[in-house]
Amino acid sequence: MSWTHRSRWTRAVFCGVSLALAVSACSSGKDDNSKATGPQHTSGPISLVYAQKQGDQEYFIGEADGAKAKAKELGIDLKVVNLGNDANRAVTEVQNSVNQKASGVIVVVPDPSVGPQVAQLAKAGGVALLTSDDQVCANGPDPASCAKDNLVPRVGFSGTQMGTEVGTRAGQDFKKAGWKPEETAIIDAWKQDVTVCTDRVKANQKAFREAAGVDVKVIEVGTDNTPSDAQNKISATVSGNRSVKNWIVMGCNDENVSGGVAAIQNAGYSADNVLGVGLGAYLACKEWRGGKPTGFKAALFINGKDVGALSVQTIYDYLKNGKQMPPEAYAPTKMVDSTNWQQAGVTCS
């Protein structure tokens, strides 16, 4: 299906669902703007679809493994779908889940702008909906400007908490290195329309200032959250700032930091003049495993397996026992580096 035809189909589905919901609201005599996500109790077998963006990424592979293990434990029929970066496919897979009469859908949307379509399709089809990792707004394309009551329940990590841990570690390591603020610059890289990424970046900048005790120039770089794009964008940034002697790299995930560290070191900087603090640890560990000097100094370990398992447990409790899904549920995190990543349980394939 071409992009144009797919877009037309998506708009048609969205409009059709919106009309159906509007008719339903009128017939009931009240305007129902809630984000109800399906039945609260299921007596029969439970079937779930876990639709993930970037399903071939290390973190999401772990997330799928955790979900599968939990589903097996609970006797759930689970189907995992890799959406890649195709936002329209997220809409299609939710519609397919409705057609196949799945009990529930857990989704990691490639783009939050399809959130309303996803939420309304699930609601109209009587399918429970839970998001993991990234937030989704039921009645608008931007979760950042969404009323809390309209955010779909989410399992993942606290963006503010994670960003704070990353910024604190970077600030502490900056002080230990003895770098001069005027000779140093921070690169913060992330996909700037992803709310949870923006939360992390805002928090890491605030925490860095508090831990370092000084202000350091910050250069914000927009990427698609992949190592290759981060490397390309940050290479251009470094080329335009050759007077900088020391670089600090932070961002939304390990991909941005990995690409940034590679770009800076490829530009001729020594690993001793680069301080990268990642978020994930699944790419950082590959640098540490090799034993060579690297600017990737630390990373916050976020275990995708924990998120996958908690997501399945959360929607199971809702469907089977009528337990309301919390607005947000968080999995644990841990800061690691080259000295302790193995003991922490980081999987490095």
Side-chain angles (χ1 to χ4, degrees):
M1 183 183 292
S2 71
W3 173 265
T4 301
H5 289 169
R6 187 185 294 127
S7 298
R8 288 173 179 168
W9 178 89
T10 301
R11 287 195 296 270
V13 169
F14 176 73
C15 292
V17 171
S18 299
L19 178 60
L21 290 174
V23 171
S24 174
C26 290
S27 65
S28 66
K30 62 181 181 179
D31 183 12
D32 182 7
N33 289 320
S34 72
K35 61 179 189 301
T37 52
Q40 293 187 359
H41 183 76
T42 301
S43 58
I46 292 176
S47 61
L48 299 176
V49 173
Y50 208 133
Q52 306 170 296
K53 71 177 183 183
Q54 299 173 337
D56 56 351
Q57 186 205 78
E58 199 74 36
Y59 169 82
F60 290 114
I61 291 171
E63 185 175 78
D65 289 343
K68 291 173 184 175
K70 179 58 69 173
K72 184 177 180 180
E73 174 190 325
L74 297 174
I76 293 171
D77 178 19
L78 175 70
K79 176 185 177 183
V80 177
V81 179
N82 178 10
L83 303 174
N85 288 307
D86 188 345
N88 284 328
R89 191 176 174 194
V91 178
T92 302
E93 291 298 337
V94 172
Q95 181 64 66
N96 288 342
S97 300
V98 170
N99 295 342
Q100 294 162 12
K101 302 187 185 305
S103 308
V105 177
I106 305 167
V107 63
V108 190
V109 292
D111 189 318
S113 65
V114 299
Q117 295 158 267
V118 166
Q120 292 194 52
L121 282 170
K123 181 177 178 179
V127 173
L129 178 66
L130 175 68
T131 66
S132 71
D133 303 291
D134 299 342
Q135 286 184 314
V136 163
C137 182
N139 66 346
D142 182 10
S145 60
C146 187
K148 288 186 178 181
D149 288 347
N150 289 315
L151 289 171
V152 175
R154 180 180 78 92
V155 172
F157 301 97
S158 165
T160 299
Q161 176 190 341
M162 289 191 298
T164 297
E165 292 189 57
V166 168
T168 298
R169 177 59 181 260
Q172 292 170 343
D173 286 358
F174 166 79
K175 289 180 71 175
K176 289 178 183 177
W179 292 348
K180 294 179 180 179
E182 62 273 18
E183 297 177 348
T184 306
I186 297 170
I187 287 181
D188 236 332
W190 78 104
K191 192 172 189 294
Q192 297 177 348
D193 62 352
V194 175
T195 309
V196 293
C197 286
T198 302
D199 290 343
R200 296 171 193 179
V201 168
K202 286 181 179 178
N204 74 38
Q205 292 178 13
K206 180 175 183 290
F208 178 88
R209 287 193 299 271
E210 293 174 351
V214 295
D215 285 326
V216 173
K217 178 182 177 180
V218 178
I219 303 172
E220 297 183 343
V221 179
T223 73
D224 66 4
N225 277 350
T226 64
S228 58
D229 193 53
Q231 184 169 344
N232 290 337
K233 299 286 178 57
I234 293 172
S235 290
T237 300
V238 173
S239 296
N241 292 272
R242 294 303 299 187
S243 62
V244 174
K245 294 183 178 180
N246 306 300
W247 290 98
I248 297 166
V249 187
M250 299 185 290
C252 179
N253 53 18
D254 256 25
E255 282 78 1
N256 282 290
V257 177
S258 176
V261 169
I264 295 167
Q265 292 187 184
N266 287 347
Y269 286 83
S270 164
D272 292 336
N273 297 104
V274 185
L275 199 175
V277 181
L279 207 160
Y282 44 84
L283 294 182
C285 67
K286 296 181 180 181
E287 298 283 328
W288 303 330
R289 184 176 58 188
K292 296 180 180 179
T294 176
F296 213 143
K297 298 300 195 296
L300 187 66
F301 177 34
I302 56 174
N303 194 341
K305 289 183 179 180
D306 291 341
V307 173
L310 183 57
S311 296
V312 170
Q313 184 70 60
T314 298
I315 201 167
Y316 172 86
D317 289 341
Y318 173 74
L319 290 166
K320 200 70 175 178
N321 306 316
K323 181 179 178 181
Q324 195 65 32
M325 290 187 284
E328 290 189 285
Y330 300 136
T333 61
K334 179 181 177 62
M335 186 63 68
V336 296
D337 55 33
S338 61
T339 67
N340 66 354
W341 65 273
Q342 291 171 306
Q343 297 93 312
V346 178
T347 300
C348 203
S349 60

